[in-house]
Amino acid sequence: MAAAVGPASHIYGNADRRWMAGGVFNVYTHNGIFSAHSLRSKADGIDAVFQQTLHFCCICIFSALYEPHVGGVETYTRGIANALVKKGHRVIVVTNNTDNALKQESANGIEVVRLPCSPLLNGRFPLSKKCPSSDALWKWLDSQAIDHVVVNTRFYPLSILGLKFARKKSVEPVLIEHGSAHLTLGNPALDIPLNIVEHTMTMLAKHSKPRCFAVSQKASEWLSHFGISSCG
């Protein structure tokens, strides 16, 4: 029987198929094993499978924005992390320290690593810093036995670093798309260079060859704008 792992607003379909955190995985439990299955493939109409069964492992989630910063991606990341912790997995969330919070802490079973950054655009686009403090945190991350890497959004500098980190650990990264249109600052003159930055970051993300999913049908379709096929 399916286990509900996301908030009620993220549950769709019948009692046996539920979407986790907006639509990326269908989650099932059986004899203590946590299996993640992707949604029906848009490309070929067959069920694409995540390829692994997660046996209480360590999952590292890269999210450029996270608590105490407030927003949709932050809430989404917390939802995934909480669900996985409840299943017995070790979860590490790697984020940018946009609000001068603790560099490392464990909250509700979720280990949080906050990297130094420059919070550009009022914190909307944090730029990761390279400094002794950052190097120490990355060294700690590299020493951890990480089984899976999930990256939220494709266009942040931390997203690119997370994808490269996954490949360094010989892990196939999972990239989750959240957008359904180009980033905007509400000013056409500023949006043009911003769109160029978005396309450049997306090109860098594609180099790591992640398995891509999306939080909605529109977000899944938006990936095709960048020549990316969504797995669900």
Side-chain angles (χ1 to χ4, degrees):
M1 181 173 178
V5 297
S9 62
H10 291 148
I11 298 174
Y12 298 86
N14 58 41
D16 294 326
R17 292 178 66 84
R18 306 185 183 199
W19 282 7
M20 180 176 89
V24 179
F25 303 120
N26 294 314
V27 179
Y28 296 83
T29 56
H30 179 65
N31 295 331
I33 298 175
F34 178 69
S35 300
H37 301 273
S38 73
L39 298 178
R40 180 166 296 278
S41 170
K42 289 5 176 236
D44 54 17
I46 63 174
D47 287 327
V49 180
F50 190 50
Q51 301 298 327
Q52 297 107 321
T53 299
L54 310 182
H55 295 267
F56 304 119
C57 52
C58 180
I59 303 164
C60 187
I61 304 174
F62 283 83
S63 182
L65 299 172
Y66 190 66
E67 298 175 345
H69 200 276
V70 178
V73 173
E74 297 88 322
T75 301
Y76 182 97
T77 301
R78 187 184 67 236
I80 290 178
N82 281 332
L84 293 170
V85 166
K86 288 179 181 178
K87 293 299 174 185
H89 303 295
R90 181 189 179 196
V91 177
I92 303 172
V93 173
V94 183
T95 187
N96 290 297
N97 199 354
T98 57
D99 295 83
N100 295 317
L102 293 174
K103 295 177 182 178
Q104 281 187 275
E105 67 174 327
S106 181
N108 299 316
I110 303 169
E111 299 174 53
V112 183
V113 175
R114 297 185 179 93
L115 299 168
C117 72
S118 297
L120 303 182
L121 302 178
N122 294 321
R124 290 178 59 192
F125 195 82
L127 185 63
S128 302
K129 289 182 178 178
K130 182 170 176 55
C131 60
S133 176
S134 176
D135 291 342
L137 291 171
W138 279 108
K139 184 177 180 180
W140 179 84
L141 275 173
D142 197 42
S143 71
Q144 304 305 299
I146 293 171
D147 300 291
H148 301 279
V149 174
V150 177
V151 177
N152 275 317
T153 69
R154 73 201 130 68
F155 49 78
Y156 289 106
L158 183 60
S159 301
I160 307 304
L161 293 175
L163 293 169
K164 290 181 177 180
F165 175 78
R167 288 304 181 185
K168 180 181 178 183
K169 302 286 280 187
S170 298
V171 172
E172 181 182 40
V174 168
L175 177 63
I176 303 177
E177 173 64 18
H178 289 252
S180 57
H182 275 300
L183 299 172
T184 179
L185 296 174
N187 184 324
L190 296 177
D191 285 348
I192 292 175
L194 183 63
N195 292 345
I196 293 174
V197 170
E198 183 177 0
H199 274 270
T200 300
M201 299 301 285
T202 302
M203 179 182 66
L204 293 174
K206 289 169 67 176
H207 286 168
S208 293
K209 298 180 180 179
R211 292 201 71 191
C212 298
F213 295 82
V215 299
S216 68
Q217 181 67 37
K218 285 187 177 180
S220 183
E221 293 170 354
W222 178 241
L223 282 173
S224 65
H225 174 76
F226 302 96
I228 299 173
S229 297
S230 174
C231 296

